[in-house]
Amino acid sequence: MAASAIRLADLSATVALGRRLGARLHAGDAVLLTGDLGAGKTELARSMIRARFGTDKAGHGIEVPSPTFNLVIPYELGDITITHFDLYRLEGPDDVVELGLDEALDDGAIIVEWPDRLGDLTPANALEIHLTQDGDARQATFTASPEMMERFLGD
């Protein structure tokens, strides 16, 4: 596993990172987002999803609500299905089994907030992003295989 960190000066930097990552998502990818409440996990996920699906005729990105209450929201537009999971309200792996995580990964890419709830269900080859907040700035620390690091973060 390789690790790397990027300083995100403000919200627009977080959005720009999400766009970059979202444009590089492939079917079978798992992106795991960790960090405290308010660290920017949902905003990063939104930016990744919007980057992949573009904007409508008026130039607005698709609506990407937080899945905190729904737990799972699939986006079946374009050339890939991206399923956004928010596991904050779950206790652990037993609660995750019925959400269709494996099926979503088989059919497309997944973005998971609060992946610590996955336990043994954590995908083996995932891009893990840990967000920490420092005032208005954030730091994104990435952990993944060297191949995934190159695909997502390489020029």
Side-chain angles (χ1 to χ4, degrees), residues 87 91-94 96 114-123:
L87 307 181
E91 298 283 324
D94 291 343
V96 175
W114 303 96
D116 58 310
R117 278 41 169 205
L118 292 172
D120 293 343
L121 301 174
T122 302

Side-chain angles (χ1 to χ4, degrees), residues 42-87:
T42 299
E43 193 57 50
L44 185 60
R46 281 184 179 129
S47 300
M48 291 173 69
I49 293 164
R50 286 182 179 141
R52 196 56 189 226
F53 297 121
T55 58
D56 60 20
K57 291 179 183 178
H60 302 104
I62 65 167
E63 184 178 343
V64 181
S66 173
T68 300
F69 295 103
N70 296 336
L71 302 179
V72 179
I73 301 176
Y75 296 88
E76 301 175 11
L77 304 168
D79 62 341
I80 187 172
T81 298
I82 299 174
T83 305
H84 185 185
F85 292 84
D86 186 327
L87 307 181

